[in-house]
Amino acid sequence: MFMTPRSVFYLIGLFVSPLLLIMPALGDDKSKDEETLRNASTVLSAMLESANVPTDLLAKANCVVVLPGVKKVGFGVGGSGGRGPMSCRGGKDFRGTWSSPAMYTVGAASVGLQVGASSSDFVLLVMTQNGVDALLKGKTELGTNASAAAGPSGATSTGTGTDILTYGRAKGLFAGATLGAASLEADNDANKRLYDKAITAKDIVTENAVQATPGGNSLVSLLNSKIQKHSN
C-alpha cells in the first residue's frame, strides 16, 4: 500500500510522541530536588506501614531506592520515567547507619497496546554486593547488569538471591505496577544541586562525603528509626 509522506510523518508522530511525555517534569532547581526527597520519605513510610514492603527484607537490604510518582504514558508504544533517592548502609558489610541519599533517574520503554496514563511509586531493595556495585558503576539495566524480581511480601518473606527486589503501587489507568526492563543511573546534575558541588553517587552513599540536606534527612531518619540494624 502506497503511503504519502504526510501519512508517514503522521504514523511516526503517533508512536514517538508518547515517548516525549514519559519523563515527568523533573525540575531543575534545588527546591524540586528537596521535594522529591520528601516525597520519597512519604512513599517509603506508607509502603512500610501498609506492609507493601516487608520490614524483615528491608532489614536485610544493603541499599534502598525510592522512586515516587514514576510516570507511564502510552499509545502503541509505552514508556516510563522518574527519579528518586538511593541510600545505603555504611560501614563494613553494610552494618552501619543509612547514608545521605544520592539521586537516581529511572527510565523504561515497552511495546504493546497501551492507552492512558498512570503514576506509580516504587521501592527497590538492593540485596547483594553485585547489585550495589552495578548501581554505583554507571547505568544499570535491571535484568542485565543486575538481576531483579518482584519482591515477596508478608512476614514469612525470605531472601531469594536476587540482586534487587522491586515493590510498587500504581495509581491511574494502568493495572499493576512494574518497572519491567528499567534502567537506573545516577542523576549527577541533581546531586550537584543538592550538595553544591560535583560529586559521585559512590562518594555520597559509601564514603560519607556529604551531610544530608533537610529533605534527605527525612528519609535517612525514617530508615534509621524503622530499621536500625542490618539483619543477616
Side-chain angles (χ1 to χ4, degrees), residues 33 83 102-105 135-139 185-204:
D33 301 326
R83 69 175 181 179
M103 200 74 80
Y104 272 72
T105 61
L135 287 171
L136 295 180
K137 190 174 297 182
K139 188 174 183 178
E185 187 173 16
D187 188 339
N188 293 323
D189 291 336
N191 289 326
K192 183 177 181 180
R193 290 192 299 268
L194 281 169
Y195 299 112
D196 298 318
K197 61 181 179 180
I199 188 169
T200 66
K202 182 177 181 180
D203 285 340
I204 296 171

Side-chain angles (χ1 to χ4, degrees), residues 36-89:
T36 298
L37 292 172
R38 291 191 296 270
N39 289 342
S41 178
T42 300
V43 165
L44 180 59
S45 178
M47 292 180 72
L48 286 171
E49 291 178 7
S50 66
N52 198 325
V53 174
T55 55
D56 60 332
L57 277 182
L58 178 57
K60 298 177 181 180
N62 296 334
C63 303
V64 59
V65 182
V66 187
L67 303 166
V70 175
K71 306 298 182 183
K72 187 171 184 178
V73 179
F75 185 92
V77 177
S80 63
R83 69 175 181 179
M86 179 173 80
S87 177
C88 298
R89 288 186 178 277

Side-chain angles (χ1 to χ4, degrees), residues 16 31 37 54 82 93-94 135 141 149 194 201 227:
V16 173
S31 65
L37 292 172
D93 298 326
F94 301 99
L135 287 171
E141 294 184 4
L194 281 169
I227 306 295

Side-chain angles (χ1 to χ4, degrees), residues 135-206:
L135 287 171
L136 295 180
K137 190 174 297 182
K139 188 174 183 178
T140 301
E141 294 184 4
L142 299 185
T144 301
N145 305 114
S147 61
S153 60
T156 60
S157 58
T158 57
T160 63
T162 304
D163 294 324
I164 300 175
L165 300 176
T166 68
Y167 295 87
R169 60 176 189 175
K171 303 177 286 291
L173 301 180
F174 286 107
T178 175
L179 282 175
S183 62
L184 287 94
E185 187 173 16
D187 188 339
N188 293 323
D189 291 336
N191 289 326
K192 183 177 181 180
R193 290 192 299 268
L194 281 169
Y195 299 112
D196 298 318
K197 61 181 179 180
I199 188 169
T200 66
K202 182 177 181 180
D203 285 340
I204 296 171
V205 301
T206 67

Side-chain angles (χ1 to χ4, degrees), residues 59-63 87-98 126-133 136 205-206 228-231:
K60 298 177 181 180
N62 296 334
C63 303
S87 177
C88 298
R89 288 186 178 277
K92 185 179 180 180
D93 298 326
F94 301 99
R95 294 186 177 277
T97 55
W98 293 90
V126 188
M127 308 302 295
T128 67
Q129 183 69 59
N130 181 69
V132 176
D133 291 343
L136 295 180
V205 301
T206 67
Q228 294 181 350
K229 295 182 179 180
H230 192 285
S231 174

Side-chain angles (χ1 to χ4, degrees), residues 120 175 197 218:
S120 303
K197 61 181 179 180
S218 63

